[in-house]
Amino acid sequence: MASSSTSVVVSNKEKENKNTKKVTLKSSDGESFEVDESVAMESQTIKHIIEDGHYSSLALSLSVKTTMASSSTSVVVSNKEKENKNTKKVTLKSSDGESFEVDESVAMESQTIKHIIEDGCANNEIPLPNVTSGILSRVIEYCKKHKEAAGESEPSVTSYTSNSTTNPLTEWDTEFVKVDQNTLFDLILAANYLDIKGLLDLTCKTVADMMKGKTPQEIRETFHIKNDYTPEEEAEVRKENQWAFE
Amino acid sequence: MAEMKRCTNIDRISNLPWDVLDTILVHIPLKEAVRTSILSSKWRYKWTGLSRFNIDDKCFPSYLSDKVLRWKVILKIIHQVQSNHGGPVEKFRLAAYCMPNHCDLDQWIWFLTDKGIKELILKEFDSIKRFKLPPEVFSCPQLSCLELYGCIIMLSPTFRGLNSLISLNLSHIYISCDTLESLIANCPVLERLTLINIDHSTVFKISNLNLKYLKIDSKFEDICLKSVPLLSTVDIRLRVKPRHSDQGKACNLVRVIGCLYSINKLILSSNFLEFLAYNDVPERLPAMLNHLLTLDLRDARLDSSKVVKVLLSILCSSPSLEELIISVSPLCRYTFLDFQRSECLVGLYFNKLKVVKIRGLLSTNHECEFIKFILAHSPVLETITIVTYGGEIIPNSVLLQFEPASEHVKVISLRS
């Protein structure tokens, strides 16, 4: 991972046996990343360099942060001018007193927090008495991940995995909700209180999937629901909604 | 740790705030949602407060095939909801084989309009008599999706428009020309309009500044598409033979299609092509359809020289065409693809054309010449698929003679 101010050398190397044109991006501390030309051209800056043909020995000063996402050719190239802007932060305080500093844009994934900030009542520390630290840290993780994917705040952020056919977030989301039932319900309530639609839909759909196809007794067992009907009442309800029980 | 164990056995689902539980339950089929009534006394009427109801054939046991009895079940559901429902109902969809009682349906729709319905969908059920739709439906401020089947639509004099309506689908509806025109024109955010089997409207007058998608499959005598600047897809099928009436002097093709400057996709079927062919078809439209990407002619009577003229005229007016699909009507005994008469066409190159599919050819000489012409004039063509009905497929020897302009074109010739 290069530092916040690096220079990048772009060189063009055509591979003999393949038709896919590759380019090599070289960071200032000497690390080389070979990527498909088409992938590198997701960056408009690099695209213009390549198109202009001036790349054989041109070093650029950019504020570039490069990370290798995995061992395959997946590259995250982001162009974020850190010197000029100060990314605003807010502090969220959980019910058990723990403070979490997050980018304001990430925190604003929560409509509730968004309104607090916009109303000017923030003071940079927002107390969340309904959310414990354990849950809050997970919620922040969700918001961060989804904010990155949406790439709203930065002008030319691109992330791509070369061999993935599924939406990477779907897989991440599925893993994210693999938690015990208690945590799941805590997440639901937190998402509801903080008004984070994506998280609420995800967690509710997870619970729905836990209910689908199960008999009433199975559902009771899964969710520890106590059956307080008398046998007569239960028969009455069955008759009332007979069609659903057939 | 004992504390942890206690915590994991608490029933947390039954006490969730209602809107959260609703968000969960709308993801399970209605039948299963109703079954939650048996979980505990707290759950008895929770399902009646759902914000979305989808009643389809899966709600019924397989042995229940009588359509009247099915309606009785639906009525039971409706009555329970009506007696217990507290909050808004966002969506109601009825797509089950049944025979609705008009009184019941009327009352239920009235209830829904009161509940701020956003999506009302009535799909084909078994009903021969049309029922009169309560006009209140057309004053629902939040209605965004409306799909109606088998009703009579009349607007009240106080009709101001549906400000949230995005999608309108009318099937087997009885509505007058003026009512339809007014309805369409007064939906400022309308994007999709589908009209299937509309009765009592001889002329479709469609005018809407936001409309993007239009599909018509109905009888009509005339159609007027005015002020539709954003219209991107048009799919029209005329169900009867057009009447050769003298609708002014202008050619129908020019009058109806020629003004669709932003059109991306045109799907024109059978009798509608004959309708468009009336009154001298020009070799080229007065203005080019610069954004037309896909032209799909279905059930095309290419045994009519007039219809062929329509095809050629559009081809000459579509410089950006990427996809050309032609299905020749099985009623054709011969085709009349005499394109060489069109001066416009002969010198034309289809610089963007990538895909061509022609089915129903009879492998006549004219057709071969036409295919040869397309191949020679389409420099970026990727595939051309030819399906011949009966008879011989165009033999490989003939195909090899064709000199395509595009190096990588794939020619597929099949027999159906």
Side-chain angles (χ1 to χ4, degrees):
Chain A
M1 191 149 114
S3 65
S4 59
S5 171
T6 61
S7 52
V8 175
V9 172
V10 179
S11 67
N12 183 4
K13 185 161 68 182
E14 268 181 75
K15 282 222 142 147
E16 299 85 344
N17 34 355
K18 276 196 204 154
N19 275 332
T20 24
K21 239 180 162 184
K22 301 254 185 211
V23 290
T24 306
L25 308 175
K26 201 163 166 188
S27 70
S28 64
D29 45 306
E31 208 174 344
S32 292
F33 303 84
E34 193 184 65
V35 292
D36 283 349
E37 186 184 85
S38 51
V39 157
M41 304 240 274
E42 288 286 310
S43 152
Q44 292 299 306
T45 310
I46 296 179
K47 181 169 184 266
H48 291 146
I49 294 170
I50 293 175
E51 282 175 356
D52 286 351
H54 292 171
Y55 50 73
S56 56
S57 60
L58 184 70
L60 311 159
S61 302
L62 303 165
S63 302
V64 171
K65 183 170 82 176
T66 58
T67 50
M68 275 293 250
S70 69
S71 57
S72 67
T73 53
S74 56
V75 176
V76 172
V77 176
S78 71
N79 182 353
K80 186 158 62 179
E81 276 149 7
K82 271 220 159 121
E83 300 93 312
N84 303 336
K85 275 191 208 160
N86 265 329
T87 15
K88 238 179 158 193
K89 304 258 188 206
V90 286
T91 309
L92 306 175
K93 200 159 171 194
S94 69
S95 59
D96 47 343
E98 213 176 305
S99 290
F100 296 83
E101 195 186 53
V102 288
D103 284 350
E104 189 183 85
S105 56
V106 165
M108 304 241 275
E109 289 276 294
S110 151
Q111 294 298 304
T112 309
I113 294 178
K114 183 169 186 262
H115 295 319
I116 295 175
I117 293 176
E118 284 172 349
D119 286 347
C121 308
N123 274 345
N124 275 351
E125 176 160 298
I126 301 172
L128 302 171
N130 291 2
V131 192
T132 63
S133 55
I135 297 299
L136 185 55
S137 67
R138 280 189 205 263
V139 171
I140 291 172
E141 201 189 325
Y142 176 89
C143 293
K144 264 196 189 145
K145 189 74 184 181
H146 280 249
K147 190 74 197 174
E148 261 171 39
E152 275 173 22
S153 53
E154 286 116 324
S156 55
V157 171
T158 16
S159 81
Y160 24 71
T161 44
S162 52
N163 293 319
S164 165
T165 46
T166 56
N167 172 9
L169 276 190
T170 314
E171 283 177 37
W172 190 90
D173 282 350
T174 311
E175 285 304 307
F176 183 79
V177 286
K178 282 188 181 159
V179 292
D180 64 272
Q181 215 183 96
N182 244 340
T183 309
L184 186 59
F185 281 110
D186 285 334
L187 283 172
I188 289 181
L189 292 173
N192 187 42
Y193 168 64
L194 295 171
D195 196 356
I196 305 170
K197 188 173 187 310
L199 182 58
L200 188 60
D201 284 343
L202 172 64
T203 45
C204 284
K205 185 142 198 309
T206 308
V207 175
D209 288 340
M210 285 161 79
M211 290 176 81
K212 259 193 238 183
K214 289 201 164 94
T215 66
Q217 185 52 29
E218 284 167 345
I219 296 178
R220 283 192 200 112
E221 277 164 20
T222 307
F223 296 103
H224 318 293
I225 302 172
K226 188 169 183 302
N227 181 2
D228 58 352
Y229 281 127
T230 65
E232 296 82 28
E233 283 171 340
E234 192 169 323
E236 210 180 292
V237 175
R238 264 185 206 272
K239 194 161 165 228
E240 197 171 74
N241 299 316
Q242 196 177 0
W243 64 275
F245 291 100
E246 278 164 356
Chain B
M1 285 299 112
E3 171 112 10
M4 283 277 276
K5 247 203 173 145
R6 229 195 305 141
C7 282
T8 57
N9 281 337
I10 292 178
D11 170 9
R12 295 192 63 182
I13 192 171
S14 305
N15 297 317
L16 286 175
W18 169 245
D19 48 348
V20 173
L21 193 53
D22 180 64
T23 310
I24 296 173
L25 292 177
V26 294
H27 284 121
I28 68 179
L30 184 61
K31 195 169 176 177
E32 290 189 44
V34 173
R35 281 211 286 260
T36 63
S37 56
I38 204 92
L39 291 175
S40 76
S41 58
K42 243 195 180 143
W43 282 84
R44 188 162 180 174
Y45 296 113
K46 279 195 200 276
W47 71 269
T48 61
L50 282 174
S51 64
R52 312 184 127 213
F53 292 94
N54 180 18
I55 301 180
D56 58 19
D57 289 317
K58 289 188 217 134
C59 291
F60 303 99
S62 44
Y63 62 79
L64 191 62
S65 51
D66 180 290
K67 55 195 177 190
V68 174
L69 287 179
R70 282 177 152 219
W71 179 251
K72 282 201 160 38
V73 171
I74 296 175
L75 201 57
K76 245 184 151 181
I77 301 172
I78 290 174
H79 280 163
Q80 288 225 54
V81 175
Q82 277 179 298
S83 333
N84 295 303
H85 205 286
V89 179
E90 279 185 13
K91 176 174 172 177
F92 177 73
R93 180 175 178 265
L94 174 61
Y97 172 70
C98 63
M99 184 146 109
N101 171 298
H102 293 173
C103 242
D104 298 329
L105 193 55
D106 195 82
Q107 214 219 359
W108 171 241
I109 292 176
W110 212 98
F111 173 81
L112 290 174
T113 60
D114 210 35
K115 286 286 182 181
I117 187 104
K118 286 186 190 159
E119 283 179 54
L120 176 60
I121 300 170
L122 302 177
K123 289 189 92 109
E124 189 150 344
F125 33 79
D126 190 279
S127 175
I128 304 165
K129 283 192 304 188
R130 301 266 163 84
F131 75 95
K132 213 170 131 200
L133 192 73
E136 281 75 26
V137 173
F138 298 100
S139 38
C140 283
Q142 292 159 313
L143 200 58
S144 74
C145 170
L146 185 58
E147 189 172 327
L148 299 171
Y149 175 86
C151 5
I152 301 169
I153 295 180
M154 288 197 220
L155 296 175
S156 77
T158 55
F159 173 66
R160 292 264 171 279
L162 286 169
N163 290 327
S164 311
L165 196 66
I166 297 175
S167 167
L168 179 61
N169 183 321
L170 304 177
S171 177
H172 295 75
I173 302 285
Y174 187 94
I175 185 171
S176 76
C177 308
D178 293 336
T179 309
L180 184 58
E181 186 185 1
S182 177
L183 179 56
I184 296 169
N186 286 306
C187 297
V189 298
L190 191 66
E191 286 181 17
R192 299 179 65 92
L193 176 62
T194 305
L195 302 172
I196 300 180
N197 252 344
I198 308 293
D199 269 349
H200 206 62
S201 272
T202 47
V203 180
F204 289 137
K205 287 188 223 158
I206 295 165
S207 166
N208 185 295
L209 296 175
N210 202 52
L211 194 64
K212 300 191 170 88
Y213 171 92
L214 173 65
K215 180 180 161 113
I216 300 178
D217 182 351
S218 181
K219 293 186 245 185
F220 56 89
E221 283 179 18
D222 194 13
I223 178 167
C224 177
L225 301 174
K226 206 175 56 167
S227 302
V228 282
L230 298 182
L231 196 54
S232 152
T233 302
V234 164
D235 177 350
I236 302 183
R237 165 182 231 103
L238 176 56
R239 285 202 176 195
V240 281
K241 280 253 176 256
R243 265 211 315 216
H244 186 31
S245 55
D246 212 335
Q247 280 125 346
K249 305 275 172 49
C251 163
N252 283 345
L253 174 64
V254 173
R255 190 171 54 87
V256 178
I257 305 292
C259 54
L260 301 178
Y261 304 124
S262 50
I263 196 86
N264 292 133
K265 190 170 180 174
L266 268 180
I267 304 172
L268 309 169
S269 306
S270 67
N271 297 313
F272 189 58
L273 285 168
E274 290 173 50
F275 170 85
L276 291 176
Y278 276 137
N279 306 333
D280 301 311
V281 178
E283 276 204 6
R284 217 180 67 180
L285 295 172
M288 300 292 255
L289 299 177
N290 286 317
H291 306 278
L292 185 61
L293 304 174
T294 303
L295 178 62
D296 185 347
L297 303 184
R298 300 181 181 175
D299 240 353
R301 292 300 296 257
L302 295 187
D303 52 355
S304 151
S305 60
K306 284 182 144 190
V307 170
V308 173
K309 275 193 182 159
V310 168
L311 163 61
L312 301 181
S313 182
I314 300 176
L315 283 180
C316 287
S317 319
S318 314
S320 311
L321 198 66
E322 291 180 8
E323 202 181 356
L324 174 62
I325 306 169
I326 303 175
S327 290
V328 182
S329 164
L331 297 172
C332 291
R333 291 276 161 260
Y334 59 89
T335 55
F336 196 76
L337 271 169
D338 197 12
F339 64 97
Q340 275 142 343
R341 293 230 188 139
S342 165
E343 275 178 37
C344 264
L345 192 63
V346 172
L348 198 63
Y349 281 84
F350 303 107
N351 291 320
K352 302 266 169 76
L353 193 58
K354 295 201 185 110
V355 176
V356 174
K357 292 181 195 161
I358 309 182
R359 57 183 308 133
L361 290 186
L362 305 161
S363 55
T364 62
N365 277 337
H366 271 150
E367 291 164 3
C368 285
E369 287 301 314
F370 183 69
I371 295 166
K372 193 172 175 188
F373 169 78
I374 297 278
L375 281 170
H377 286 239
S378 311
V380 298
L381 193 59
E382 288 170 12
T383 57
I384 172 165
T385 312
I386 304 161
V387 181
T388 323
Y389 285 171
E392 309 280 307
I393 55 168
I394 298 177
N396 276 341
S397 54
V398 177
L399 283 173
L400 287 169
Q401 278 175 33
F402 296 165
E403 286 150 2
S406 162
E407 276 177 25
H408 306 291
V409 68
K410 201 169 159 194
V411 179
I412 304 166
S413 182
L414 306 161
R415 184 194 0 216
S416 169

